[in-house]
Amino acid sequence: MTKRVIAAVLIAAASIVSSVNAADSAIAVDDPYVRLVPPGIKTTGGFMLIRNTGKADRQLIMAQSPAAGTVELHTHINENGVMKMRAVASIAVKAGGQAELKPGGYHVMLIDLKDPLKEGDSVPISLIFDDGSTVNLQAPVRKPHTGMPESRPAHPGMAGH
Ligand SMILES: [Cu+2]
């Protein structure tokens, strides 16, 4: 009798856990940003770190943004020494893993920007995954890196120590 009760409780607990997992795609997005481009440039890239804390592999299959006429998933490929962008159908985010969208690699391509970007603005981006889940985020507009490492010491007066 006691064993049967315990079994029933365990089954109930298991179904609660699985329904929570189904509702939560277990996807987290860190540090999203959109690259600032000069006025007149109509395309830019969105970058971020997508983490999958779940137990199932996920595929990012689409991105949407009201700020752009067209949004595509892109990667960079090196073709005979020339870096080129290619549209991809999906970006894999393995269970317990992550996908880094960064300059020179995967990115969300925003094409036909409706308004010029301003630093400090936020661009709404929706990420749609293969399980039907959507992650909505606000990606701040940021200046691109200059390629120069930020090597200034935090406390110049302490540089001699
Ligand atoms: Cu691109």
Side-chain angles (χ1 to χ4, degrees):
M1 182 64 188
T2 312
K3 268 185 189 164
R4 232 178 271 163
V5 170
I6 291 170
V9 168
L10 286 176
I11 288 165
S15 66
I16 289 167
V17 168
S18 65
S19 69
V20 167
N21 284 344
D24 177 7
S25 70
I27 293 288
V29 176
D30 291 339
D31 199 24
Y33 71 96
V34 165
R35 191 174 144 130
L36 181 68
V37 288
I41 304 291
K42 292 287 191 187
T43 61
T44 189
F47 308 97
M48 66 202 72
L49 184 68
I50 304 172
R51 291 187 292 114
N52 180 356
T53 58
K55 293 193 164 54
D57 293 347
R58 281 278 74 81
Q59 300 269 343
L60 172 62
I61 55 168
M62 198 193 293
Q64 296 176 332
S65 175
T70 304
V71 183
E72 294 179 352
L73 303 176
H74 275 194
T75 190
H76 274 97
I77 55 161
N78 187 328
E79 203 172 81
N80 303 321
V82 181
M83 290 300 279
K84 291 184 175 176
M85 293 196 293
R86 274 286 151 78
V88 293
S90 62
I91 297 173
V93 194
K94 291 236 177 279
Q98 60 188 38
E100 192 176 8
L101 278 57
K102 60 178 182 187
Y106 286 117
H107 53 281
V108 172
M109 195 80 196
L110 302 170
I111 299 163
D112 193 16
L113 290 170
K114 292 179 181 165
D115 296 302
L117 297 177
K118 291 199 295 290
E119 199 174 3
D121 281 359
S122 279
V123 177
I125 296 176
S126 298
L127 305 177
I128 294 120
F129 293 87
D130 59 335
D131 61 346
S133 64
T134 301
V135 174
N136 297 309
L137 52 100
Q138 296 283 334
V141 175
R142 254 196 240 159
K143 271 191 191 135
H145 292 285
T146 57
M148 297 285 286
E150 195 81 49
S151 59
R152 273 177 303 159
H155 303 286
M158 304 285 280
H161 288 251

